[in-house]
Amino acid sequence: MSTLADPHRNPLTFALEKTYERMLWLPIAFNELMGTTFITFVFAFVTASPSGMGDPTGTSASGSPIVFASAYWSSLAAIGFISCGYFNPAVTLNNMAMRKIHWKQGLLSIFMQFIGGFLGAGIAYGFNHDGHFRVVPTERNKHISLGHAFGLEVFVMFFLLIFLSVALDGNHPLRKYQLVSYSVFAVINLTLIQTFNPYTGGMYNPAVDVAINVIGYHSIEQGANDENATIPTDDKHWIQKSLVIYFLAPLCSVVSSLLLYYGLYRPTIQVQKREKEAQEDIPYQAMPDDSNNRSKSIISNISEKAPEDD
């Protein structure tokens, strides 16, 4: 029987609660849509390139990782608990594989995250009134090959996901403090973006990176004939290469992080949990040569014999 439904309540209230239970997917979907739209919109503006004034390499704009991470953390802290999708398809897929969320909720969240990414980038693109504003795609460093960028993206995303997997384990000491988990995730994300963004150009969020690249490439293509435009559009395979780096690489990271988590970390955490439970079941006995334990026993006995205050 549903925890919300109560036959003794008003029939109208009962009907509304039952309807809400059946439509629980709606706030989850809207939450992922809104969160991803917000962080993509912020990212599109902070890395914006006004014609002739912006940084032609895109995401290396000064301060963009800090602003992006701040927007990300604030979104997680404010509304992340509703859907637990982290506004990141790779993280959602990882959580779905770990059975932290139902697979139907996970697939719905991933779909809405990509919709939110394109919506946020599209809204930013809509501000391109006279060609003075460009949504800049996340371009990799020109001195790094496609294979190296792909490998680096896999490696960096792997660390982000394995750290989050362990932090989300039910036996982790910080697991009950959800805001702390969000803060740890945001700090790790900021560290990785600040360090590796100049090489791969990505924000380690497939929904944001793919949307920014597709909309951004269309934006700079529209301004290719502007005399002030500084971003080249001669690479006809830009979007395909971007999908390899920002979509395929996170999938590889999810698989590798799950293999390590279930192959090493999860068994270790389970063993530590059983050992802790076994120690808690053993009755306390003070040893004569253990002054610390003897002191604890004496204090415990005094507390038990102390008269209660009237």
Side-chain angles (χ1 to χ4, degrees):
M1 183 175 177
S2 169
T3 55
L4 291 178
D6 185 354
H8 299 291
R9 292 182 181 178
N10 183 285
L12 179 59
T13 304
F14 180 80
L16 290 174
E17 290 175 347
K18 293 295 291 184
T19 303
Y20 175 78
E21 285 182 335
R22 296 191 188 99
M23 305 252 329
L24 193 58
W25 58 270
L26 188 59
I28 292 175
F30 181 76
N31 194 63
E32 291 296 321
L33 174 70
M34 187 167 63
T36 314
T37 300
F38 172 69
I39 61 176
T40 308
F41 179 71
V42 170
F43 177 57
F45 263 87
V46 79
T47 59
S49 174
S51 296
M53 296 175 60
D55 179 6
T57 61
T59 58
S60 60
S62 176
S64 62
I66 297 177
V67 175
F68 178 79
S70 300
Y72 202 174
W73 184 88
S74 59
S75 301
L76 289 174
I79 60 177
F81 71 95
I82 296 177
S83 53
C84 301
Y86 281 75
F87 314 128
N88 187 322
V91 176
T92 303
L93 182 61
N94 188 76
N95 291 350
M96 187 172 61
M98 293 174 60
R99 299 182 181 179
K100 298 296 181 182
I101 56 177
H102 194 273
W103 66 269
K104 291 182 180 179
Q105 177 184 340
L107 293 179
L108 176 63
S109 297
I110 291 173
F111 176 75
M112 297 308 294
Q113 286 161 358
F114 277 104
I115 295 297
F118 279 96
L119 182 61
I123 294 174
Y125 176 74
F127 284 88
N128 178 24
H129 293 294
D130 350 354
H132 295 295
F133 180 85
R134 301 280 178 241
V135 177
V136 182
T138 54
E139 183 183 6
R140 76 179 190 275
N141 192 296
K142 63 181 180 179
H143 300 294
I144 296 180
S145 66
L146 178 64
H148 288 168
F150 175 84
L152 187 58
E153 190 82 4
V154 171
F155 196 62
V156 174
M157 280 289 295
F158 165 78
F159 280 107
L160 179 65
L161 293 173
I162 191 61
F163 289 161
L164 182 63
S165 298
V166 176
L168 289 177
D169 190 278
N171 299 309
H172 195 282
L174 297 179
R175 181 66 184 94
K176 58 182 178 180
Y177 305 107
Q178 196 167 35
L179 192 59
V180 177
S181 300
Y182 287 155
S183 302
V184 171
F185 178 73
V187 170
I188 295 174
N189 203 16
L190 171 62
T191 303
L192 296 177
I193 293 173
Q194 187 72 44
T195 305
F196 300 103
N197 172 267
Y199 298 94
T200 64
M203 288 290 162
Y204 308 108
N205 187 322
V208 176
D209 290 331
V210 171
I212 287 292
N213 271 274
V214 174
I215 301 296
Y217 185 75
H218 179 71
S219 176
I220 62 174
E221 215 173 23
Q222 294 257 325
N225 297 325
D226 287 0
E227 59 180 6
N228 292 327
T230 58
I231 303 176
T233 57
D234 54 350
D235 190 350
K236 301 303 179 183
H237 303 287
W238 183 309
I239 295 181
Q240 292 89 327
K241 293 177 180 178
S242 299
L243 290 177
V244 169
I245 299 175
Y246 305 126
F247 185 80
L248 184 59
L251 290 178
C252 297
S253 300
V254 170
V255 173
S256 57
S257 66
L258 287 173
L259 289 175
L260 180 61
Y261 173 74
Y262 281 107
L264 177 63
Y265 282 105
R266 181 64 178 172
T268 304
I269 293 174
Q270 290 295 330
V271 170
Q272 292 177 345
K273 177 185 177 182
R274 286 194 294 267
E275 291 179 348
K276 182 179 179 181
E277 291 176 348
Q279 291 176 356
E280 291 176 351
D281 291 338
I282 298 176
Y284 173 76
Q285 293 181 355
M287 302 298 292
D289 58 341
D290 189 345
S291 58
N292 187 33
N293 285 339
R294 187 166 60 252
S295 300
K296 292 181 179 178
S297 180
I298 294 172
I299 294 174
S300 176
N301 292 333
I302 293 175
S303 301
E304 292 177 356
K305 295 180 180 180
E308 297 182 356
D309 294 336
D310 292 333

